[in-house]
C-alpha cells in the first residue's frame, strides 16, 4: 500500500486567510437543504439566539451560525453546500 503525501494543515493559513478576510456579504451561497443559490446578504438573520443564525430565504433552513465569545468565535456553515467568494484575479493577464 502506498501512502499519499500530504501537507500539514498549517499550509491552509494563507489560502483561507484570503477567503475569510473578505466581505462575506458579497459571497454567494448554496443552501444544503433546498439548493437555492443566492447572496449571503439575502439570508434572514436572527440575532436573538445565542449568536447569529442565518436562514435560507427560500426554505427557512439554517445555513449559517456564528457564535462570538470574548476570545474566540465559532462559524458553522454545515447548512451551506458552498460559499463562492469573489477574490482578486491571479496569474498572467492573458489567463484572466
Ligand atoms: Zn433553502
Amino acid at each position: 500500500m502506498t501512502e499519499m503525501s500530504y501537507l500539514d494543515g498549517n499550509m491552509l493559513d494563507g489560502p483561507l486567510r484570503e477567503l475569510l478576510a473578505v466581505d462575506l456579504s458579497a459571497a454567494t451561497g448554496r443552501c444544503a437543504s433546498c439548493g437555492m443559490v443566492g447572496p449571503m446578504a439575502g439570508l434572514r438573520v436572527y440575532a436573538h439566539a445565542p449568536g447569529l443564525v442565518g436562514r435560507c430565504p427560500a426554505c427557512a433552513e439554517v445555513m449559517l451560525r456564528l457564535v462570538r465569545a470574548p476570545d474566540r468565535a465559532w462559524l458553522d456553515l454545515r447548512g451551506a453546500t458552498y460559499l463562492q467568494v469573489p477574490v482578486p484575479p491571479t496569474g498572467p493577464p492573458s489567463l484572466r
Side-chain angles (χ1 to χ4, degrees), residues 26-64:
T28 299
R30 182 181 188 274
C31 175
S33 177
C34 74
M36 190 209 76
V37 175
M40 296 302 283
L43 295 184
R44 295 178 182 167
V45 178
Y46 298 85
H48 46 73
L52 300 173
V53 175
R55 291 185 175 271
C56 174
C59 74
E61 283 297 318
V62 174
M63 288 180 64
L64 173 150

Side-chain angles (χ1 to χ4, degrees), residues 11-96:
M11 71 78 55
L12 293 171
D13 182 55
L16 286 178
R17 185 183 308 248
E18 180 186 27
L19 292 181
L20 298 176
V22 300
D23 178 7
L24 277 183
S25 65
T28 299
R30 182 181 188 274
C31 175
S33 177
C34 74
M36 190 209 76
V37 175
M40 296 302 283
L43 295 184
R44 295 178 182 167
V45 178
Y46 298 85
H48 46 73
L52 300 173
V53 175
R55 291 185 175 271
C56 174
C59 74
E61 283 297 318
V62 174
M63 288 180 64
L64 173 150
R65 292 180 184 91
L66 176 61
V67 176
R68 179 76 163 83
D71 63 342
R72 66 196 69 201
W74 291 263
L75 176 60
D76 177 350
L77 288 168
R78 80 182 91 173
T81 305
Y82 64 76
L83 285 181
Q84 182 185 73
V85 179
V87 294
T90 59
S94 62
L95 296 177
R96 292 182 195 162

